[in-house]
Amino acid sequence: MEQKLEFAFRQTMPAQPLHFDESKCVGCHACMEACMIDVMTPGEEGHPPVVSFPDECWYCGCCVMECQTGAITLRHPLMNQTRWVEKASLKKE
Ligand code: SF4
Ligand code: SF4
């Protein structure tokens, strides 16, 4: 009997680069205006913008710097969190 193989593509979740603290956000949308590549689109009045294109984010931090209330936290992907260290520091004493 012929064995039938099945394949499936694993879907990865889109990155969520921005986290808004709603208690700090005044809904000015200055962060959205600062983003050069329009990751965000307008949200409801008095609320943060909507992160409509999260995979396009460059993690440049411009929106974070523009926010006057400190309402945005940038969530870097794991790949960006790696740290460069001296090779010698990895050797056992
Ligand atoms: S700049 Fe800050 S306060 Fe203004 S909408 Fe963006 S997150 Fe909210
Ligand atoms: S980190 Fe930069 S690219 Fe990403 S949303 Fe903010 S301003 Fe846009």
Side-chain angles (χ1 to χ4, degrees), residues 20 24-31 47-49 66-69 71-72:
F20 297 102
K24 292 181 181 175
C25 178
V26 295
C28 66
H29 285 35
C31 50
H47 291 273
E66 195 66 27
C67 180
Q68 299 301 305
T69 64
I72 308 174

Side-chain angles (χ1 to χ4, degrees), residues 6-58:
E6 291 186 9
F7 297 93
F9 290 101
R10 189 171 60 184
Q11 297 278 321
T12 53
M13 295 293 287
Q16 298 297 334
L18 306 178
H19 172 73
F20 297 102
D21 184 339
E22 293 255 2
S23 67
K24 292 181 181 175
C25 178
V26 295
C28 66
H29 285 35
C31 50
M32 185 187 78
E33 298 294 337
C35 182
M36 293 165 284
I37 47 174
D38 296 337
V39 166
M40 297 167 260
T41 51
E44 291 177 36
E45 197 174 330
H47 291 273
V50 177
V51 183
S52 300
F53 306 101
D55 289 334
E56 302 300 322
C57 180
W58 294 347

Side-chain angles (χ1 to χ4, degrees), residues 44-87:
E44 291 177 36
E45 197 174 330
H47 291 273
V50 177
V51 183
S52 300
F53 306 101
D55 289 334
E56 302 300 322
C57 180
W58 294 347
Y59 301 90
C60 67
C62 288
C63 54
V64 177
M65 288 189 279
E66 195 66 27
C67 180
Q68 299 301 305
T69 64
I72 308 174
T73 305
L74 202 55
R75 289 177 171 162
H76 285 271
L78 187 61
M79 188 175 70
N80 288 6
Q81 296 177 28
T82 53
R83 301 278 191 271
W84 187 89
V85 294
E86 292 278 359
K87 187 177 176 183

